[in-house]
Amino acid sequence: MLIQHIVGLSGLVAACLFIFGLKRMSSPVTALSGIVVAGIGMVVAVAASFLVVFDLPADVAPNRVVNVMLAVVALCVGGGWAFLRGRKVGMTAMPQMVALYNGMGGGAAAAVAAVELSARAEPTALGMATTAAGALIGAISLTGSVIAWAKLDGKIQNPWRFAGQRIVNGTLFLATVLLGIALVVSSGSPHFALLAILFFAGALAFGVMMTLPIGGADMPVVISLYNAFTGLAVGLEGFALQNPALMIAGMVVGSAGTLLTLLMAKAMNRSLANVLFSNFGDGAAHGGSEAHGEMKSADASDAAVAMRYASSVIIIPGYGLAVAQAQQKLYEFVKLLQAAGVTVKFAIHPVAGRMPGHMNVLLAEAGVPYDIIFDMEDINAEFPATDVALVIGANDVVNPAARTDTSSPIYGMPILDADKAHQVYVVKRGQGKGYSGVENLLFFEDNCSMVYGDAQAVLTQMVQAVKDLAA
Amino acid sequence: MTMDTTMTWLIALYIFMLAAFTGYEVISRVPSILHTPLMSGSNFIHGIVVVGALHALLNATTPFAQTVGFIGVALGAANAGGGYVVTDRMLAMFKSSGKGKN
């Protein structure tokens, strides 16, 4: 009895620490301590859950030693592998890593559900239904996240689509839910095991089918959605296990993740349904507007000199910067400009990078202090009074077509008003289109010049040009 | 359904509701520069599922429950361990220019 109280209280402590930790993570100043606080909560909860071995029911007691050994090995294998992988992974590959870890959490929730369904001594309909619901969501999150990981990691290149896909997926989902209901109703019947296998197979297959048709550009939203799914699944399994810590932690993540997903979808000016079901990012089907005028190109060193003698520069980095691994070089250039008295700011579009805030992480990695990095709504008003806007590796997020061209697929998406700066330089590898496949009207504006080349090479030239001036 | 389980069910709903509001409130005040670390941080927190998996494994009586429980603990531990490291690495990079300048 005493042990149950201790385990129960440890759950309460863990839940408190999780919420407190999340709260601290909500400000850049306290964020690092936030994850430590949450980590302490996790250690407390995991350590306390081993106490149950001193208070096992008679039928479990003979397995005590084997079970504890299995648990320790599983903790070391799973935790150790993830720890080492997480230490080594590059910051640009972070989104897919989060997807992978998230899928594993979903898989763990599904595994808990499978054990509960198989072992429950006196099943109640409500307990069964909750367990099955958690299993369904967890299993979808597992395979869906793995597909998302494979897409972001470049292991699956193209969206897989066919006619009537939505009908197939809808039927699969419906069949899986019906299997789940049959499972709950038929508890104790001889067909139970077969139903359970079909149910899990259906849920796992649906996760794959649901994610395959979604384009790579939409994966961040999908990962965020599956993050919320896993949270929800964990919360539901928490109820099945009568464990309030799991319920609270799971539900906090479920609601926070849902909100985050909606914020991300909103930043792209798309509804969540649109992301999941519209087959966006096909490229071929897009109309797009006629571009007027022509693109002008400028020399990297000319652009650098122009910025050196400007009084204010706003830099708009995109994922292309990270692909070229040029953040360090960019910051070196920025420091030179700052030393020459130029006010330099970074403007970050909500969907820059591969997740909201991903670009901030990439810049932070290069040492750029976060107080010269600004969100779109905070900086957009400053562009008309800015001498130079430098766009590096970004495209759709500065396309004025989003403001004016109602026929454009990106119409209505909030953009950074780079075109309103006196002079715009766009560092770009070639004349290709952006992720959305839309022609960028900014490139044809009178005040815009293109600097063609790899971001790393261009920035190296820019740094050299500014240094040459000083010498 | 007895009175007892009805209360449990209702209390569960209360817990879910309060937790949902908590999650919403905590996230809604976060600046977007922290969204990625926060997604990773919340990803770490649902790694608490490892506790549920440990419960299942430590109470296992059949080889099936032991096998699936083992997989569950390993996956849950990977979720928690990986989520922690990745979040910690991301957050460690945030620093203001106050400290860094000259």
Side-chain angles (χ1 to χ4, degrees):
Chain A
M1 201 58 202
L2 176 66
I3 283 172
Q4 279 180 17
H5 285 309
I6 295 175
V7 174
L9 277 175
S10 75
L12 182 72
V13 170
C16 285
L17 291 174
F18 287 157
I19 294 171
F20 185 58
L22 259 191
K23 178 92 191 115
R24 289 189 76 82
M25 273 188 246
S26 65
S27 157
V29 184
T30 56
L32 190 54
S33 66
I35 183 68
V36 176
V37 168
I40 294 170
M42 188 70 75
V43 171
V44 168
V46 169
S49 52
F50 273 95
L51 289 177
V52 298
V53 299
F54 300 112
D55 190 23
L56 288 175
D59 59 329
V60 189
N63 291 333
R64 180 186 295 163
V65 177
V66 177
N67 286 355
V68 170
M69 276 165 57
L70 283 173
V72 172
V73 171
L75 279 178
C76 293
V77 169
W81 170 82
F83 191 83
L84 294 177
R85 269 303 289 275
R87 287 282 285 270
K88 273 193 284 186
V89 64
M91 278 295 152
T92 42
M94 220 46 117
Q96 50 264 48
M97 220 49 220
V98 172
L100 198 56
Y101 294 142
N102 175 59
M104 293 177 144
V112 171
V115 173
E116 280 296 295
L117 287 172
S118 78
R120 192 163 270 242
E122 299 158 23
T124 62
L126 183 67
M128 290 283 287
T130 321
T131 311
L136 175 67
I137 300 170
I140 292 174
S141 177
L142 167 63
T143 49
S145 297
V146 169
I147 298 293
W149 164 78
K151 284 194 176 222
L152 283 175
D153 217 39
K155 294 196 165 45
I156 298 178
Q157 294 287 355
N158 292 312
W160 182 62
R161 293 166 186 156
F162 56 85
Q165 192 163 24
R166 253 180 273 178
I167 297 167
V168 172
N169 286 2
T171 312
L172 178 60
F173 182 70
L174 206 65
T176 309
V177 170
L178 287 175
L179 276 168
I181 293 171
L183 198 64
V184 173
V185 178
S186 75
S187 159
S189 89
H191 304 300
F192 188 76
L194 177 67
L195 279 174
I197 291 169
L198 287 174
F199 169 67
F200 276 100
L204 292 169
F206 180 73
V208 174
M209 295 292 285
M210 176 180 163
T211 321
L212 276 177
I214 303 172
D218 285 332
M219 276 308 130
V221 181
V222 174
I223 294 172
S224 177
L225 181 70
Y226 287 142
N227 188 38
F229 271 20
T230 304
L232 199 59
V234 171
L236 289 171
E237 294 316 322
F239 175 66
L241 296 171
Q242 299 285 301
N243 183 328
L246 260 71
M247 291 166 69
I248 293 171
M251 205 59 197
V252 165
V253 174
S255 78
T258 306
L259 177 63
L260 198 55
T261 310
L262 294 174
L263 286 176
M264 291 166 82
K266 197 174 145 210
M268 299 201 288
N269 194 42
R270 321 245 320 269
S271 71
L272 189 55
N274 185 267
V275 169
L276 294 177
F277 306 119
S278 77
N279 295 358
F280 187 80
D282 236 350
H286 293 316
S289 47
E290 288 297 309
H292 301 285
E294 55 187 87
M295 293 196 208
K296 295 177 295 295
S297 71
D299 195 54
S301 40
D302 291 349
V305 172
M307 280 183 269
R308 160 69 180 75
Y309 289 106
S311 66
S312 54
V313 172
I314 296 181
I315 298 172
I316 300 155
Y319 192 65
L321 176 74
V323 171
Q325 293 289 328
Q327 304 96 298
Q328 304 275 359
K329 209 73 199 168
L330 176 60
Y331 188 44
E332 190 185 339
F333 180 59
V334 167
K335 280 189 282 193
L336 284 173
L337 291 182
Q338 283 176 329
V342 184
T343 309
V344 184
K345 291 175 179 175
F346 285 85
I348 309 282
H349 192 271
V351 295
R354 284 291 176 266
M355 292 199 287
H358 189 203
M359 189 51 64
N360 304 77
V361 173
L362 294 171
L363 290 176
E365 185 187 22
V368 180
Y370 64 77
D371 45 12
I372 64 167
I373 302 176
F374 295 86
D375 287 343
M376 181 173 66
E377 53 268 33
D378 297 328
I379 202 163
N380 251 353
E382 294 186 27
F383 278 105
T386 298
D387 295 331
V388 179
L390 176 64
V391 181
I392 303 181
N395 193 338
D396 294 327
V397 299
V398 290
N399 191 345
R403 277 201 300 262
T404 54
D405 180 5
T406 49
S407 69
S408 173
I410 62 167
Y411 176 71
M413 181 175 88
I415 59 161
L416 286 161
D417 299 333
D419 56 321
K420 292 185 179 163
H422 301 163
Q423 172 67 44
V424 184
Y425 291 108
V426 179
V427 178
K428 206 166 170 309
R429 258 209 281 208
Q431 301 196 341
K433 294 171 182 174
Y435 221 111
S436 68
V438 182
E439 195 75 73
N440 194 334
L441 300 185
L442 169 68
F443 301 165
F444 301 93
E445 298 277 340
D446 288 337
N447 62 343
C448 178
S449 298
M450 312 295 292
V451 182
Y452 291 115
D454 175 75
Q456 176 87 35
V458 167
L459 283 164
T460 308
Q461 285 177 45
M462 286 185 170
V463 167
Q464 197 52 48
V466 174
K467 278 183 177 163
D468 287 349
L469 278 181
Chain B
M1 199 176 276
T2 66
M3 190 65 197
D4 191 36
T5 52
T6 315
M7 272 309 290
T8 314
W9 169 78
L10 196 58
I11 289 172
L13 274 186
Y14 270 97
I15 293 178
F16 277 146
M17 178 200 69
L18 292 172
F21 274 107
T22 307
Y24 185 92
E25 280 302 309
V26 169
I27 289 273
S28 60
R29 292 192 209 118
V30 171
S32 66
I33 67 159
L34 281 172
H35 276 174
T36 287
L38 206 84
M39 180 155 122
S40 179
S42 60
N43 178 45
F44 161 70
I45 285 174
H46 67 52
I48 186 72
V49 69
V50 71
V51 167
L54 277 171
H55 176 92
L57 176 55
L58 293 174
N59 285 290
T61 49
T62 61
F64 172 79
Q66 283 176 327
T67 311
V68 178
F70 180 85
I71 296 171
V73 173
L75 290 177
N79 181 180
Y84 185 89
V85 176
V86 165
T87 312
D88 186 61
R89 274 185 59 195
M90 279 192 230
L91 290 175
M93 291 167 188
F94 285 93
K95 48 181 184 281
S96 82
S97 57
K99 282 180 277 178
K101 257 181 185 168
N102 303 320

